[in-house]
Amino acid sequence: MVEVIILSIVQGITEFLPISSSAHLILISKYFNFSNENLTLNVSLHLGSLLAIIFYFKKELFNFINNKQLFFKIILGSIPVMIFGFFLIKLNLMDYLKNYKVIGWSTIIFGILLYFSDRVKVKKSINHDFKYRTALYIGLFQILSLIPGVSRSGITISGARFFNFSRVDSVKISFLISIPTLMAASLYNVQNLIVEKNFSVSLLNLLGVFLSFFFSYITIKFLIKFLQEFSLTSFVIYRLILGSIIIIYAY
C-alpha cells in the first residue's frame, strides 16, 4: 500500500511539472527498492493523470464542433513520440536509458535548455498562432521525453517557448499534447495486462487512480497560476541541483 501511495503522489505531482516524472519514479523506486513492475499500478498512475488533464480541459475538448482543429493538432503533435516510443519498446532499448548517468545528465542539460527557452520574447498566442506545423514541431521536441530525466512537460514547454508562445500558453500546449500520449501509454499497459491475462483490479489500484488524479489536477492548476506571475527559473534551479546530486552519486 505504501508503494502505491508514494508512486501515485509522485506521478501526480511530477507528470505535469517540467522536472520529469519518469526520472522521479525510477529514482524513488530504486531508493525504496520498489518493484515498479506492476502493470496494473502503471495503468492506475497514467489513467489518473489522463483523467485529470481531460477534466481540466473538458470544455475545450468536449466542444468538438468548435474545437475540431485543436483536436487534430494535438493528435498530430503526439504522433512522433508514439512512433519512436513504440520502436524503443519493441527493440528493448528503454532499459538501457534507465540509469543514473543518463538521468543525471539529461536533467541538467534539458534544465539549461528550459532556462534559455524561457528567455524568448512572447510574440504569439495559442488562439491565433498554434498552427498544424507548430504542433508537429513541438511534437518532434516531445520525442526527447522518451529519455528519462528530459521531462515530457519540460521539453514541450521549451519547444513552445522557442516558438514565442507565453509561459501560460506553452504550458497549455504541453498539457493538451500530453493527452494522446498518456492515453497511448495507458492502452499499451492495458494490452499487456490482456496478454498476461491479468484482469485483477484491487482497491489499491483504485486508490492509485484517485491519488494520481487528485495530485495531477492540483499540479495543473498550480502550474498555470504560478506561471502567470513567475518564470520557469525555480524549476531550472531544482533540475540543476537534482541532476548534480545524481551525477555525483553515479560517478
Side-chain angles (χ1 to χ4, degrees):
M1 181 173 183
V2 174
E3 177 178 353
V4 173
I5 293 174
I6 292 177
L7 292 181
S8 298
I9 294 174
V10 171
Q11 165 71 17
I13 294 174
T14 61
E15 176 64 39
F16 298 106
L17 295 181
I19 56 176
S20 179
S21 60
S22 61
H24 283 77
L25 289 171
I26 292 169
L27 292 172
I28 289 176
S29 294
K30 287 181 179 291
Y31 181 81
F32 288 106
N33 199 27
F34 292 156
S35 64
N36 201 22
E37 297 294 334
N38 189 328
L39 277 175
T40 56
L41 177 57
N42 287 335
V43 172
S44 301
L45 296 181
H46 287 99
L47 181 59
S49 293
L50 175 63
L51 292 175
I53 196 68
I54 289 176
F55 185 75
Y56 188 87
F57 286 104
K58 57 183 180 297
K59 290 183 179 178
E60 289 87 345
L61 294 173
F62 294 155
N63 190 5
F64 178 77
I65 295 177
N66 295 329
N67 289 279
K68 59 183 178 181
Q69 287 195 8
L70 176 62
F71 176 83
F72 291 128
K73 287 171 187 174
I74 62 176
I75 292 294
L76 177 64
S78 303
I79 291 175
V81 72
M82 291 182 188
I83 294 174
F84 275 80
F86 174 80
F87 283 108
L88 281 179
I89 292 172
K90 289 302 179 181
L91 296 174
N92 296 316
L93 297 176
M94 290 299 295
D95 290 338
Y96 292 102
L97 300 175
K98 295 179 180 179
N99 65 76
Y100 290 119
K101 293 180 181 179
V102 171
I103 294 174
W105 283 114
S106 60
T107 298
I108 291 176
I109 292 171
F110 289 95
I112 295 173
L113 184 71
L114 182 66
Y115 173 81
F116 283 108
S117 72
D118 202 35
R119 307 274 77 78
V120 175
K121 293 183 179 180
V122 178
K123 298 179 181 178
K124 299 178 181 178
S125 68
I126 188 173
N127 293 327
H128 301 98
D129 302 295
F130 186 52
K131 311 297 184 182
Y132 283 99
R133 183 174 60 181
T134 308
L136 180 59
Y137 286 157
I138 296 174
L140 293 174
F141 273 87
Q142 192 175 206
I143 293 174
L144 295 169
S145 68
L146 295 168
I147 304 172
V150 171
S151 170
R152 187 210 54 76
S153 174
I155 195 63
T156 49
I157 291 173
S158 295
R161 289 291 288 124
F162 278 127
F163 281 102
N164 302 111
F165 289 96
S166 70
R167 296 185 184 103
V168 173
D169 279 350
S170 295
V171 168
K172 288 181 179 179
I173 291 170
S174 172
F175 288 169
L176 289 169
I177 288 182
S178 74
I179 294 174
T181 306
L182 286 170
M183 191 174 294
S186 299
L187 291 175
Y188 176 78
N189 286 326
V190 168
Q191 182 219 350
N192 287 335
L193 286 176
I194 295 174
V195 170
E196 294 184 7
K197 297 182 179 179
N198 183 354
F199 303 106
S200 61
V201 177
S202 65
L203 290 176
L204 283 178
N205 296 125
L206 296 178
L207 176 63
V209 173
F210 171 76
L211 290 175
S212 179
F213 169 85
F214 177 77
F215 284 97
S216 292
Y217 186 79
I218 295 298
T219 301
I220 292 166
K221 292 193 68 174
F222 159 77
L223 187 58
I224 290 178
K225 289 185 178 180
F226 178 85
L227 293 180
Q228 288 174 348
E229 299 184 24
F230 303 100
S231 70
L232 293 161
T233 303
S234 55
F235 298 108
V236 173
I237 294 172
Y238 174 82
R239 290 182 67 116
L240 294 179
I241 294 173
L242 177 62
S244 298
I245 294 173
I246 296 170
I247 288 175
I248 291 171
Y249 175 82
Y251 287 95

